[in-house]
Amino acid sequence: MTQPLPETLVAHRIPRPREPRPELQHSSLNISDILSALFKHKRNILVCVAAGLAAGTAVYLFYPPVYQSEAKLLVRYVLERSGIDPIESARGSAGLGQASENVLGSEVEILTSWDLAVQAAEAVGPKRLLPHASGTPSKEAAAEVITSGLEVTVHKGSNIIFVAYKSHDPSLATIVLKELVNRYFNKHLEVHRSIGAFDFVTQQTDQVRSRLNQTEDSLRSLRSKVGIASPLVESIAALSAEAAKTEDQLNITESELAEQKAKVLQLGGTLPEEVSAPPTERAPGGEDVPATVMVPRSLGATAGKLDKKGPSAAEIPSEVKQQYQVLISRLPQLRQAKLELLAKYMPESQLVKANQAEIDDVTRQCRKLEKEFPNLPSTAGPIASGSGQSDLASETARLAGIQARREALAAGLHDSQERMKKLSQISPQIADLERQKELEETNYKYFAASLDKARIDEALDPSKIPNISAVQQPSSPIKVTTARDKLALGLAGGGLALGIVLSLLNELVLNRTIKRPFELEKFVGIAPLLSIPYAQNGRLRSGPSQNRNGSALVVKDSKRTNLAPWDADHFVRAYCEAIRDRIGLYFELHQLTHKPKLVGVTGLSEATGTSTLAAGLAAALSETGDGKVLLVDVNLGPEHVHAFYGGKPAHSLKTALQSADGLASVADNLYLATVAPPNAGPAQLGLKKFFDLMPNLKASDFDYIIFDMPPLSETSPTVGIAPFMDKVLLIVEAEKDKRDVVKRGYRALVTGRDNVSVVFNKARSYVPKWLESKV
């Protein structure tokens, strides 16, 4: 069970816990960070640069010389002469054009092929290419040497191939390149030509042509059965269109027939009888198509009574004259209709045939009347167009013409339907034959083109290559220093780059400590109360890479061990006075007027300058003349802070709090107290012991009590005592305390009470002052 706080402690002050402040988000990298890292590790960078220069110099002096031989090949075009290659390969003979890059790329691949390298290695000799090899080297190993030294390039917009070979042996460079170029010509012939393929391609072409002829005969036979000559799809479409057209015309004719019948009846006539004429034509299926002729009853009776010798003009009946006039007038109309039908349909179409049958019928009737009445043409002419006369005889004759057209259209529609029926039954076989014919035609074109190329291969001399020529033969070997110079410069520059990369990696990535004051705000979100520069041996450092005001609270290797932090000559006094002024302003703003005011000084690790800063701050507060100041050493600090122990009086905390009268001071209004006697070793001020001392703290005569508290740790009482301080100073040591440790320690303190300020100690600046002012 937790014990309640003492009443004296509650009356003195009760801190209220609060949440830590939100952290600020800042950029993680800037030019200042980079410059600081580079100047900080300048020695390492210089060492890497020196190593790189040494390596580059060694390469430049001892790198074995390399000799190179060069040749140039002009590729005008690439003529494919293979009898079995695709037909599209013949496009290469037209020139480079758009396929120039593909052609040159193919030739480069041939030049750099493994087969060509092996052939060249065999011709030169593996032992000559690998003189230092143990035993007998293989041709494959020699080919690897050739491929490693071969370089083939093509400049954009040019049709010239540049070939170069590098070797440490000057005589070997030219020999190898000559063998490569000579054997490249032979390899080019093997790739792009197939000698001796004429017989094979001829045999294949004949077989494909024979199969194509058989397929065409079968297809022609099937088409003749259904009376079509065009492809299946076009024939089906034509028949469908013809049947639809005939059906539309038949419907129109039916309407005209009904109308004409009504007109004849209206004029008082009688409907004619349908007389079937002998078959005039035979349909494709072998059936007879009847030709129907409409003959008026009155005209037939009159014609039977006429004298065969021919009556005179006065004896020709009026009905005969009218019928003749109608027939003569009808004949031009039918002929004009025939011309219109021939413009749309073939002469074999049923519509054309029906029209021709009607023309023949009208002509036959006219010839019959003229034979019976010789004087009829001179006494009766055609009816004038637009005369407006419509007697019974003419309407009856027109009715007979419409009836004949209807019968012809019906016969044509029936014929089209029968042909479509037969075509639908045989269409699968026709479709299969058409697909087979198309495939065989494609094969035949392919083999025919291949046969032409095979004939050319058979006739030409394979040793002649007019499309490729050597613009420049393999040249004499020249010494090449490009690789040596690049390697030397790369090593020299690589040393500098390595030093820079290692410095930036170590400083910006691996090193997670707080190195400069603004990093507190950048990474932790804390604005430091004061930044104290780094000093060595109790003196401020100076030089091109250090700020003039650099100093440290903990003096390293100091020979003046008798110099106390409250001494006026101590370098920390100036910074402690600045801290004193800012703490005083804090007390004024927060109206902290009670006495004594408690100030705690702590750090995150050992030897961060906590004791020095606490002593210096106590001395600075004692000089204000406001009252007495007590410096309490909660955890015994370094020896240089307690140099006054030799001959200087020190009291226990309990004795000092009871009464300041009679205590020996170490300076004006400055007194020293410890938790335990100096000879007792390190002592800790526990939280319970601190509670027991609170009544004495409240009743003491001191205006300020400065506590030099232990560093923050898991077992340190500092976190529990800090909330009861009026002000807590957290010392962060540069390049020692890590970001996460600072963040956790600050959170632990500020969670209990927001009275914590951070002092950044041993701040170092590695960038020259003149450069630092510009970034």
Side-chain angles (χ1 to χ4, degrees):
M1 182 175 180
T2 306
Q3 297 180 357
L5 295 175
E7 295 183 359
T8 56
L9 182 60
V10 177
H12 185 73
R13 63 183 61 83
I14 300 178
R16 292 186 302 170
R18 57 176 294 171
E19 294 297 326
R21 300 172 183 174
E23 298 178 2
L24 302 177
Q25 300 295 331
H26 298 275
S27 175
S28 60
L29 183 64
N30 52 39
I31 188 63
S32 179
D33 296 335
I34 296 175
L35 290 177
S36 179
L38 294 180
F39 279 98
K40 179 180 179 180
H41 298 278
K42 58 183 178 295
R43 293 183 179 178
N44 296 334
I45 295 176
L46 291 176
V47 170
C48 293
V49 169
L53 291 175
T57 303
V59 168
Y60 186 84
L61 296 177
F62 302 106
Y63 190 83
V66 177
Y67 299 90
Q68 176 175 299
S69 178
E70 299 178 353
K72 297 180 182 179
L73 303 177
L74 173 62
V75 181
R76 298 185 184 89
Y77 57 88
V78 174
L79 183 60
E80 297 283 356
R81 298 189 183 279
S82 173
I84 57 175
D85 284 344
I87 300 174
E88 289 76 7
S89 61
R91 293 184 301 177
S93 61
L96 293 178
Q98 295 182 353
S100 175
E101 295 182 1
N102 296 335
V103 170
L104 293 177
S106 301
E107 298 306 311
V108 169
E109 292 298 327
I110 295 175
L111 272 168
T112 57
S113 64
W114 177 256
D115 294 343
L116 187 62
V118 172
Q119 293 176 10
E122 289 179 341
V124 175
K127 188 62 178 179
R128 190 172 183 181
L129 290 170
L130 295 170
H132 304 291
S134 57
T136 303
S138 62
K139 61 181 181 181
E140 288 79 12
E144 290 182 1
V145 175
I146 293 178
T147 55
S148 63
L150 182 62
E151 181 180 355
V152 181
T153 57
V154 177
H155 296 293
K156 188 175 183 180
S158 173
N159 57 347
I160 294 180
I161 300 177
F162 297 87
V163 187
Y165 181 74
K166 298 178 182 178
S167 176
H168 297 292
D169 187 353
S171 61
L172 196 60
T174 305
I175 295 175
V176 171
L177 188 58
K178 285 183 178 179
E179 290 295 334
L180 280 171
V181 171
N182 293 334
R183 297 182 182 278
Y184 159 70
F185 290 140
N186 298 331
K187 189 69 175 179
H188 172 85
L189 288 173
E190 294 177 4
V191 172
H192 294 285
R193 297 185 181 184
S194 57
I195 308 302
F198 177 75
D199 295 336
F200 170 77
V201 178
T202 301
Q203 182 181 1
Q204 293 294 323
T205 304
D206 294 339
Q207 293 177 1
V208 172
R209 183 171 55 247
S210 176
R211 290 195 298 268
L212 179 60
N213 293 335
Q214 294 177 4
T215 303
E216 288 179 345
D217 294 339
S218 301
L219 183 60
R220 192 180 302 108
S221 175
L222 287 178
R223 286 177 176 176
S224 63
K225 289 183 181 179
V226 293
I228 61 174
S230 58
L232 179 63
V233 177
E234 297 179 3
S235 300
I236 292 176
L239 286 177
S240 300
E242 181 180 349
K245 184 70 175 181
T246 303
E247 187 175 1
D248 293 341
Q249 292 182 355
L250 181 61
N251 293 334
I252 295 173
T253 304
E254 293 282 356
S255 301
E256 292 180 359
L257 181 62
E259 181 183 0
Q260 190 64 27
K261 286 181 179 180
K263 187 180 293 186
V264 171
L265 293 176
Q266 185 68 24
L267 293 175
T270 60
L271 298 178
E273 296 179 353
E274 297 183 0
V275 180
S276 299
T280 58
E281 297 202 20
R282 187 170 294 274
E287 299 178 358
D288 293 335
V289 179
T292 303
V293 181
M294 305 299 297
V295 181
R297 294 187 182 93
S298 58
L299 181 60
T302 304
K305 296 178 181 180
L306 293 177
D307 189 24
K308 294 182 181 180
K309 295 182 180 180
S312 61
E315 296 178 354
I316 298 175
S318 59
E319 293 83 356
V320 175
K321 292 181 179 180
Q322 293 177 358
Q323 181 182 4
Y324 185 75
Q325 290 177 348
V326 170
L327 293 175
I328 294 300
S329 301
R330 178 66 175 164
L331 192 59
Q333 298 177 3
L334 292 175
R335 289 173 178 170
Q336 181 64 30
K338 179 180 179 180
L339 295 176
E340 294 178 357
L341 290 174
L342 288 175
K344 300 180 180 179
Y345 303 100
M346 300 294 292
E348 295 81 6
S349 175
Q350 293 298 323
L351 294 178
V352 177
K353 292 179 179 181
N355 179 267
Q356 183 64 39
E358 190 173 356
I359 291 175
D360 296 340
D361 182 64
V362 172
T363 304
R364 181 175 56 79
Q365 294 184 41
C366 290
R367 297 292 179 269
K368 182 178 180 181
L369 292 177
E370 290 174 355
K371 184 177 181 181
E372 294 180 359
F373 304 99
N375 297 328
L376 186 61
S378 59
T379 58
I383 299 177
S385 178
S387 62
Q389 299 178 359
S390 177
D391 52 10
L392 179 60
S394 62
E395 294 298 334
T396 303
R398 186 169 181 272
L399 176 62
I402 295 174
Q403 181 68 26
R405 185 168 72 251
R406 183 188 68 81
E407 296 297 335
L409 291 174
L413 179 61
H414 177 73
D415 181 67
S416 298
Q417 292 175 349
E418 289 295 327
R419 291 174 63 191
M420 290 183 63
K421 182 177 179 181
K422 293 180 180 180
L423 185 60
S424 62
Q425 294 175 355
I426 203 171
S427 60
Q429 301 178 21
I430 297 177
D432 292 341
L433 289 176
E434 286 182 348
R435 286 193 296 269
Q436 184 177 353
K437 176 187 175 184
E438 183 179 357
L439 178 61
E440 291 175 352
E441 283 180 346
T442 302
N443 294 337
Y444 179 71
K445 291 178 181 179
Y446 167 80
F447 280 105
S450 301
L451 181 61
D452 293 338
K453 291 186 294 181
R455 287 194 183 99
I456 297 175
D457 279 345
E458 192 75 14
L460 290 180
D461 182 6
S463 62
K464 297 179 181 180
I465 310 178
N467 55 331
I468 298 180
S469 59
V471 177
Q472 174 183 314
Q473 294 293 336
S475 62
S476 301
I478 57 175
K479 189 174 182 179
V480 180
T481 59
T482 304
R484 181 198 65 184
D485 297 343
K486 288 183 178 180
L487 182 57
L489 291 176
L491 291 174
L496 176 61
L498 179 62
I500 293 175
V501 169
L502 292 178
S503 301
L504 295 178
L505 179 65
N506 179 56
E507 193 70 14
L508 302 180
V509 178
L510 302 179
N511 190 352
R512 309 296 295 176
T513 60
I514 302 294
K515 295 174 284 295
R516 285 173 292 173
F518 68 86
E519 292 184 1
L520 281 172
E521 188 172 359
K522 177 191 291 187
F523 299 110
V524 186
I526 306 171
L529 178 67
L530 186 68
S531 177
I532 303 177
Y534 175 77
Q536 190 173 7
N537 297 333
R539 299 181 181 272
L540 301 178
R541 294 191 59 182
S542 60
S545 62
Q546 179 62 36
N547 192 308
R548 291 176 54 193
N549 297 326
S551 64
L553 296 179
V554 178
V555 182
K556 297 182 178 180
D557 301 330
S558 176
K559 297 181 180 180
R560 300 181 60 190
T561 57
N562 57 346
L563 185 62
W566 48 81
D567 195 302
D569 295 333
H570 200 283
F571 68 89
V572 79
R573 288 296 301 274
Y575 302 102
C576 291
E577 291 173 359
I579 297 174
R580 175 198 64 193
D581 297 338
R582 298 178 188 183
I583 290 178
L585 179 61
Y586 172 82
F587 290 155
E588 290 292 337
L589 293 176
H590 290 77
Q591 297 180 359
L592 298 177
T593 58
H594 60 270
K595 294 183 181 180
K597 299 180 182 65
L598 308 182
V599 179
V601 182
T602 185
L604 296 167
S605 58
E606 299 289 343
T608 58
T610 305
S611 300
T612 305
L613 179 62
L617 179 60
L621 290 172
S622 67
E623 294 177 352
T624 59
D626 295 337
K628 299 178 181 180
V629 179
L630 177 63
L631 174 61
V632 180
D633 185 14
V634 178
N635 189 14
L636 294 181
E639 295 180 356
H640 71 276
V641 178
H642 302 284
F644 53 88
Y645 275 65
K648 296 290 185 177
H651 307 277
S652 66
L653 178 58
K654 186 174 182 180
T655 303
L657 293 177
Q658 290 177 354
S659 176
D661 296 336
L663 296 178
S665 63
V666 296
D668 293 338
N669 297 325
L670 177 61
Y671 300 89
L672 175 66
T674 58
V675 177
N679 298 329
Q684 297 287 345
L685 178 60
L687 190 59
K688 183 177 183 305
K689 189 174 183 180
F690 182 77
F691 290 160
D692 296 339
L693 293 174
M694 285 304 298
N696 297 331
L697 290 173
K698 182 179 179 182
S700 65
D701 297 335
F702 297 101
D703 290 339
Y704 295 95
I705 300 179
I706 311 300
F707 289 89
D708 179 11
M709 295 189 294
L712 294 175
S713 63
E714 297 294 336
T715 59
S716 173
T718 302
V719 178
I721 299 175
F724 300 98
M725 299 289 112
D726 294 304
K727 188 65 176 178
V728 176
L729 298 179
L730 177 63
I731 308 299
V732 176
E733 184 176 352
E735 303 182 13
K736 182 178 180 181
D737 295 332
K738 296 184 178 180
R739 303 169 190 172
D740 297 338
V741 175
V742 175
K743 186 183 298 185
R744 289 196 300 268
Y746 181 79
R747 279 186 175 182
L749 294 176
V750 80
T751 300
R753 186 178 181 186
D754 188 13
N755 62 345
V756 183
S757 295
V758 177
V759 176
F760 192 71
N761 188 26
K762 301 182 184 179
R764 306 188 188 191
S765 178
Y766 299 94
V767 183
K769 188 175 182 180
W770 62 270
L771 182 59
E772 187 177 13
S773 61
K774 296 180 181 180
V775 296

